[in-house]
Amino acid sequence: MLSINSLRMLLRQSAEERQELKKLYAQLPGTRCKRRTICCSLLPEIVFIEALSIIDLIIHLSPDMRKHICRKVISYFFLNPVEIIMCPFLDGNECLIYEERLFGCRAYGLWSVDYYDSLAVRSRQGKKYIRTQWEKLGVSLPKEVVEFQVPYCSHVEKTDTEWISDDQLLHVFVQIEELSAKFFKWHRLFSQMYFYDLSFFISSLFYGTSEAVNLKFSIVNDVINRRTKARLEAVVNTVPDVFTELSS
């Protein structure tokens, strides 16, 4: 598990790499988003260096905004198996982290239709496996959530003269992964324990990994089998600000 002290150390050590991440993002062509928020139905998978970048952004927010964002991220983690929840960084039709948005957000609308369809197939296969695991615990996840996939976007407008191929997009992503892998132990932990999931990672900082998993099972079971969100509301309304030490 990644502690607050370890995170403080990693934020100090990763300043150069986080600047390099911005340069890698800049290799993608400039685009103009029509803000239809189609892609904001899910929080994309990320690698560890991207997680550090978003954590650094969060800790520099005002205390009230930081608490607001953390509550939304944690709610997203607990409820995403049973509801299609908009990205916790979405406010109306505006992205609160647009300038720091993740590779998955930036690449959406740039992939070819065929490659995006192949990504969708792999995503659905993964969700079906997750549904099977939940069923073993006595919880049947809603079919509409398990089978949901963000549709292909045809509303991204380029602002640069050049477009980008699938191979070029993949090359940028490989460079981002290699940059993240400089923090080998934590990069591997983020993928193997947190499954590239920022909401799981942040929830674990608040509650610990095991407790976050246990709470998620209890909350999902409550929503599916008892039709109540009382436990979720109690948990989210008492979220402590664990980032206070990092922001001072």
Side-chain angles (χ1 to χ4, degrees):
M1 175 184 165
L2 186 63
S3 68
I4 290 295
N5 286 337
S6 296
L7 185 56
R8 181 188 294 108
M9 174 193 70
L10 286 162
L11 287 169
R12 286 200 305 267
Q13 294 177 349
S14 65
E16 184 177 331
E17 285 77 12
R18 285 185 279 115
Q19 288 302 312
E20 183 63 26
L21 176 64
K22 293 181 180 180
K23 293 178 183 178
L24 291 174
Y25 284 157
Q27 291 184 25
L28 302 181
T31 58
R32 183 181 296 108
C33 176
K34 291 188 176 181
R35 304 297 171 93
R36 299 192 178 192
T37 67
I38 298 171
C39 61
C40 304
S41 303
L42 297 173
L43 187 61
E45 293 183 351
I46 64 174
V47 295
F48 182 62
I49 190 64
E50 291 184 293
L52 287 178
S53 178
I54 296 303
I55 293 293
D56 184 64
L57 183 152
I58 291 173
I59 65 178
H60 286 95
L61 297 173
S62 68
D64 286 346
M65 179 57 75
R66 190 164 61 235
K67 180 183 291 187
H68 174 67
I69 289 294
C70 287
R71 286 180 172 179
K72 289 183 69 177
V73 170
I74 290 168
S75 293
Y76 180 94
F77 171 68
F78 288 137
L79 286 178
N80 63 16
V82 293
E83 294 182 6
I84 303 302
I85 311 170
M86 301 304 283
C87 174
F89 297 106
L90 185 68
D91 184 21
N93 66 346
E94 296 294 326
C95 175
L96 296 175
I97 60 167
Y98 191 76
E99 296 304 318
E100 304 291 337
R101 68 195 185 281
L102 307 157
F103 174 83
C105 308
R106 294 168 187 267
Y108 180 71
L110 297 178
W111 300 110
S112 68
V113 175
D114 288 343
Y115 189 79
Y116 189 78
D117 285 345
S118 72
L119 292 176
V121 169
R122 290 201 293 271
S123 175
R124 282 193 293 270
Q125 289 171 342
K127 288 180 179 179
K128 287 179 180 178
Y129 172 77
I130 292 171
R131 185 182 191 185
T132 300
Q133 300 309 303
W134 276 98
E135 286 174 348
K136 292 178 180 178
L137 297 172
V139 177
S140 181
L141 300 181
K143 182 179 180 181
E144 63 272 17
V145 175
V146 175
E147 296 184 354
F148 176 79
Q149 181 62 41
V150 178
Y152 183 81
C153 181
S154 58
H155 303 294
V156 172
E157 298 177 348
K158 64 180 181 180
T159 57
D160 292 347
T161 55
E162 305 225 350
W163 204 236
I164 192 169
S165 69
D166 293 336
D167 286 342
Q168 289 171 311
L169 277 170
L170 287 168
H171 179 65
V172 174
F173 178 68
V174 167
Q175 291 181 84
I176 292 172
E177 274 205 314
E178 290 173 348
L179 181 66
S180 185
K182 289 184 177 182
F183 303 92
F184 176 73
K185 171 185 174 182
W186 305 109
H187 172 76
R188 184 176 61 178
L189 179 74
F190 188 75
S191 65
Q192 294 180 351
M193 179 175 288
Y194 302 111
F195 308 105
Y196 306 100
D197 183 349
L198 179 65
S199 69
F200 187 8
F201 178 61
I202 288 180
S203 297
S204 295
L205 290 175
F206 282 78
Y207 304 108
T209 303
S210 296
E211 181 61 17
V213 171
N214 290 334
L215 278 171
K216 182 163 188 168
F217 170 76
S218 298
I219 289 169
V220 168
N221 186 53
D222 283 350
V223 174
I224 293 291
N225 295 323
R226 300 176 184 173
R227 309 292 184 184
T228 177
K229 293 183 180 178
R231 192 194 308 261
L232 170 69
E233 293 168 1
V235 168
V236 171
N237 288 335
T238 56
V239 168
D241 188 353
V242 299
F243 293 133
T244 301
E245 300 173 50
L246 296 173
S247 61
S248 58

